[in-house]
Structures are given as C-alpha cells and as structure tokens.
Amino acid sequence: MTLLTSDVRPVRAEAARRRSIAVISHPDAGKSTLTEALALHAHAIDAAGAVHGKGNRAGVVSDWLEMEQKRGISITSAALQFAYGDVVINLLDTPGHADFSEDTYRVLTAVDAAVMLLDSAKGLEPQTLKLFEVCRRRGVPVITFVNKWDRPGREALELCDELEERINLRPTPLTWPIGEAGRFLGLLDRANGEVRTYRRAPGGASIAEEEVLTPQAAADSLGDDHTEAVESVQLLDAVDHASFLAGTTTPMLFGAALANIGVRQLLDAVVDLAPAPGARPDVDGGERAVDQPFSGFVFKMQAGMDPNHRDHVAFIRVCSGRFERGMVVTHERTNRPFATKYALSVFGRERATVEDAYPGDVVGLVNASTLAVGDTVFDSSGPRVRFPPMPVFAPEHFAAARVADPGRSKQFRKGIAQLEQEGVVQVLISEARGDGNPILAAVGPLQFEVASFRMEHEFSAPIRMETLGLSLAREAAPSDLDTIAGYPGVEVVRRGDGTPLVLLRDVWHARAFERAHPDVPLTPLVASGV
C-alpha cells in the first residue's frame, strides 16, 4: 500500500482518537478485574467477571488460558480494544505475578500511558515499584487508581504521601473518597464539587447505580464526611497536564473495581489526559511519524489461543500509517515479504477479523511463525525502519529439560523452539548436553510451570525438568570459553542469538572465578531497552 497525500489527514485523525494503555500493579491488586470493569463501562462486554468466577459471575474474559483460570492469576498479556465515545482504547492487561515481569516489560514498550493500580490497604508494593520505574525510564506517564476503597485500608492522604516520598511522584486528585476505606459513602469530583453515591449491583457484574448530588446537597446529606473530603483534597495540587506528561505528577482517582465504582471517571481521565500515539524513535536515532507508511513491531507472541488449531499469533503495535488486511509488508530482520491475510483483533479468547488498523492499535497476525518478539515490519513503499529491540532480562532460575517419552522428541524440539520464540522462557544450549537436553532459563520459577503445562497440553510432549543449582548468568568472550569450561561448577551455554553465557551458582562463585582468572572478564547481563 502506498500512503497518498490524501491519506495523511485520516491517519493523523485516527491516531489522535487512539489511547493505548496498560494496567500495572502488584499481584492481587485487581488488574484483571479492573480491565473487565473498564470494558463493561465502555459497553464492550455485557457483564464483568471475577478472577475466580465466584457466585454467578463468570471468570474474567481477559484471563483465558486454562492455567490462569485455575490459579486466578494473569500469566499472559491480553489485548483488548473497545470504543468509548469517539475514542478507541487499546487496553493491554499484563501479568501480575512477579515471575512474568519480562512479558509486562515488553507490553510497556507498546503503550503510551499506564494506569498504576494500588490496593488501598497496601499502597506501593514491590512489583508496582519495579514496573513504575520501567515506566519512568521509558517516559510512559502514569495515572493512579486506588482500588478496593470499599474494604478497610489506609488513609487517602497517607497513600498520597507515600507516592511523593517513595517515588517522587506528586499526586493530583481528580476524585476523592468520602468516608474512610471500608466505609465508602461516595466520590467527590474535584472539578465541579459534585458527589456521586453508589448502589452496588448484585454480584458486582454490572454497572453500579449512581446518584449525583450537588455540592450543597452532598454537604446536607453527608455532613462532616463531606467537609473532611473537601478539605483534604484542597491540600493537594490540581491536575497539570504538562507535568503529568513529564512524569512528575500523577492524576489520582479512587474506586472499587469489583463493584464497578469509580471506573467511568478513570475512563474519562484516560480519554482526556493520556497522550495519543506520536512519532516512534528508531534504532538510528530518528523518528517514524504516525503519518508515514505503515510500520509496527512485535511485542508479544502467543500460541494456543484457539484450542481447535495450533495457531501462532504475533501481536503487533502499529506505529505509523494505515494497516490493511492482506497487505504484503517487509519483515525487517529477514528482508522478506510477509503476507497479512489473517489479521485479528483479540478480546481474551474471542477474536474478530481486522480490516484496517491505525497507530496505537494492536493487531494479531495469525500463522506468524517466522516473526519473533522485537521484530519490525513495514510497508516497503516507504522508508525502511527498524525499531529498538525488546529488552532481554538476566535469568535467575535454570532447569535442564528433556522429553519424558523419547518417541516424542520431534514434538519436544518444536515446542521448546516455540516457547523460546514467544519469550515464555529463554532456551540455552550447551555442547555437553546437546539440544535434546536444553537448559530453560527464567526470571521466576513459575515460568517453568507454564512451560511444562504447555509442552504437555499443546505439544503432547510431557517433559522432565531438573532444577539446577545456578542463579547467575554472565556473558563471556568466545576466546575464553575453554578456560571457563575447566573451572569447577560452571556451565557454558549459548543463547538463541549465539551469545555465549556462563552460568554460575551465585555471586560468590563468580568472584572466586574472577580471583582465579583475573584476565578472563565475565560481563553482567544488562536488560537493554528498559
């Protein structure tokens, strides 16, 4: 497709309508529940589900993988798109479990803003802090939503102080709770002084009924609780869009996602404050403007989304131009053409054919076995482009894998290769073990459970894993490998890209090696691109 001059305005206009966001938080803060509540308020679904599907509520749409539904956690990243008024929101739900931080980091390369979800009783938690720091380094502005205000928790001002003191982020409230956590009487709208009171829907699966009170009616009805809320919110600065985009302030809202309270205000904040897609930096130091011919990058690979087919979906963030289903694009890494006949939008496990897409949108390309995480695709009618590669993180857990039934070796190799391509685990090969006994490397041990589960259920190749007493990976020069291999307790391997790595027990083991061989450098792995 050639992008004509007459096409520029529509592309710019469509890009301006897009808001691409991710929800980040610590496990169990309610990310998947909030995702469902946002979709419910935008009328993208008929009823929201609790993670475990309690009572008459279905399980959440975005947690579609069987293992997610059993354990009540998000393991994959779901891509949900829905319209809210005249705006198209691309919402990327992310894994909350700390073991899956690699997938979450990759998602943060594909969004323009993030919603930081805090549990009202716990405030800033370790995983939230890690993800916020990634947002800060990448220049992703953050909107804060304090969840679970219908349960006992901390004081609102105390949570505000924590943000400023621990991460130097100044909260600027848009809404403020009336009543302390666990005694949720309503929400004060800072801009106009109105108060919304809520009647929770049975089971919380539909939008809560709300009543709007004028400032005077709220003061008469709620008395001292209303006065305290008004006085508290006036202690804090109002929203400033420039400082929000600069990452020094965060618009702050309160609510209860499970009860669908305060969610509409969060959607309004995303529409009004989150930036639309803009020019995307490339590896050469330039920028790809949104109105240039189509380009995008793969931020996630996923298989098994359709249990009836062995599909392989590449999730692509559109960075510029208009994507049209059926167009032939260039795969930058191989310089080969790639047909886009099967293009989908994905809502949990539900899928629909995409005819076109614009900057900020996420497109799932089916049967994309030649694509890998971090790859760039572009319309060859325009300038060539390559976007920065995805970050690769230093693994801390290692396990040697082998197929339980030698007769399934072919399926074993195919499955391991696919899991590596998707970024589920890193696959390391040593000359001593061979490719029939690869070492799986992960940020956290739960990744091994996912790999084992999928090898058995998707590839019919159950595996046996031997946990190795290693926790440290270092990069080494190829010329030093013979010397390193002779040192006790080390394992010399190669990553999929050919990089030689040395695996050691711990930092003390590494220091002992360095003392014995001061002329052989071992380089720590750095998460590039973060």
Side-chain angles (χ1 to χ4, degrees), residues 155-211:
E155 294 287 337
L157 285 174
E158 181 187 353
L159 293 167
C160 293
D161 289 341
E162 183 179 33
L163 290 180
E164 197 152 11
E165 292 169 4
R166 294 187 65 185
I167 58 176
N168 195 28
L169 187 66
R170 193 168 77 253
T172 55
L174 287 165
T175 65
W176 195 261
I178 296 180
E180 66 272 15
R183 194 174 66 89
F184 196 1
L185 303 178
L187 277 177
L188 170 67
D189 186 324
R190 180 174 189 168
N192 57 25
E194 292 179 345
V195 171
R196 282 169 169 76
T197 60
Y198 296 88
R199 181 180 301 169
R200 179 172 174 163
S206 58
I207 296 174
E209 296 178 21
E210 65 177 55
E211 180 183 357

Side-chain angles (χ1 to χ4, degrees), residues 20 26 47 195 248 286 369 371 384 469-470 473 530:
S20 298
H26 198 76
V195 171
T248 59
S369 57
L371 300 181
R384 187 180 184 88
L470 305 168
V530 179

Side-chain angles (χ1 to χ4, degrees), residues 71-398:
R71 298 184 64 154
I73 60 173
S74 295
I75 293 173
T76 58
S77 300
L80 314 178
Q81 184 187 72
F82 49 83
Y84 182 64
D86 191 44
V87 172
V88 176
I89 294 177
N90 294 294
L91 174 58
L92 277 65
D93 187 27
T94 54
H97 199 284
D99 289 359
F100 294 90
S101 55
E102 281 191 79
D103 199 20
T104 304
Y105 293 154
R106 295 184 192 117
V107 166
L108 292 177
T109 67
V111 300
D112 301 308
V115 173
M116 181 166 67
L117 187 63
L118 303 182
D119 185 320
S120 65
K122 299 173 182 177
L124 286 171
E125 298 180 84
Q127 182 74 352
T128 317
L129 288 168
K130 288 181 184 178
L131 296 172
F132 170 75
E133 287 303 326
V134 174
C135 289
R136 172 166 277 171
R137 290 192 205 115
R138 298 197 62 84
V140 176
V142 171
I143 297 171
T144 298
F145 185 80
V146 180
N147 193 26
K148 304 183 182 181
W149 203 259
D150 54 345
R151 304 180 189 179
R154 294 161 62 180
E155 294 287 337
L157 285 174
E158 181 187 353
L159 293 167
C160 293
D161 289 341
E162 183 179 33
L163 290 180
E164 197 152 11
E165 292 169 4
R166 294 187 65 185
I167 58 176
N168 195 28
L169 187 66
R170 193 168 77 253
T172 55
L174 287 165
T175 65
W176 195 261
I178 296 180
E180 66 272 15
R183 194 174 66 89
F184 196 1
L185 303 178
L187 277 177
L188 170 67
D189 186 324
R190 180 174 189 168
N192 57 25
E194 292 179 345
V195 171
R196 282 169 169 76
T197 60
Y198 296 88
R199 181 180 301 169
R200 179 172 174 163
S206 58
I207 296 174
E209 296 178 21
E210 65 177 55
E211 180 183 357
V212 181
L213 303 178
T214 65
Q216 185 58 54
D220 294 341
S221 174
L222 300 169
D224 290 344
D225 290 305
H226 176 265
T227 302
E228 182 179 350
V230 171
E231 291 176 350
S232 295
V233 79
Q234 289 175 349
L235 297 173
L236 300 161
D237 292 340
V239 169
D240 175 71
H241 197 233
S243 60
F244 160 63
L245 295 179
T248 59
T249 66
T250 177
M252 192 176 199
L253 303 97
F254 294 78
L258 191 62
N260 296 302
I261 295 173
V263 177
R264 182 180 57 77
Q265 289 89 336
L266 176 58
L267 270 173
D268 291 338
V270 167
V271 169
D272 295 339
L273 300 174
R280 194 88 182 178
D282 61 29
V283 295
D284 297 322
E287 289 188 331
R288 184 83 163 190
V290 294
D291 54 12
Q292 287 191 272
F294 166 76
S295 67
F297 65 89
V298 180
F299 68 90
K300 178 179 178 60
M301 300 292 297
Q302 184 68 54
M305 299 187 74
D306 184 346
N308 298 317
H309 302 91
R310 288 273 179 84
D311 60 354
H312 202 99
V313 181
F315 288 93
I316 290 178
R317 151 78 189 230
V318 179
C319 298
S320 66
R322 179 187 177 196
F323 169 88
E324 292 181 277
R325 185 174 69 88
M327 69 188 299
V328 177
V329 300
T330 298
H331 181 196
E332 189 277 334
R333 177 167 53 85
T334 63
N335 206 35
R336 292 179 177 176
F338 182 88
T340 63
K341 181 180 179 181
Y342 302 105
L344 305 172
S345 66
V346 180
F347 191 95
R349 186 172 255 156
E350 300 301 316
R351 50 178 67 189
T353 299
V354 166
E355 295 299 335
D356 54 18
Y358 295 90
D361 288 345
V362 173
V363 176
L365 297 181
V366 184
N367 298 330
S369 57
T370 59
L371 300 181
V373 169
D375 283 356
T376 297
V377 293
F378 63 93
D379 181 353
S380 57
S381 69
R384 187 180 184 88
V385 64
R386 179 160 65 97
F387 295 112
M390 286 290 128
V392 177
F393 297 89
E396 299 175 7
H397 300 267
F398 304 88

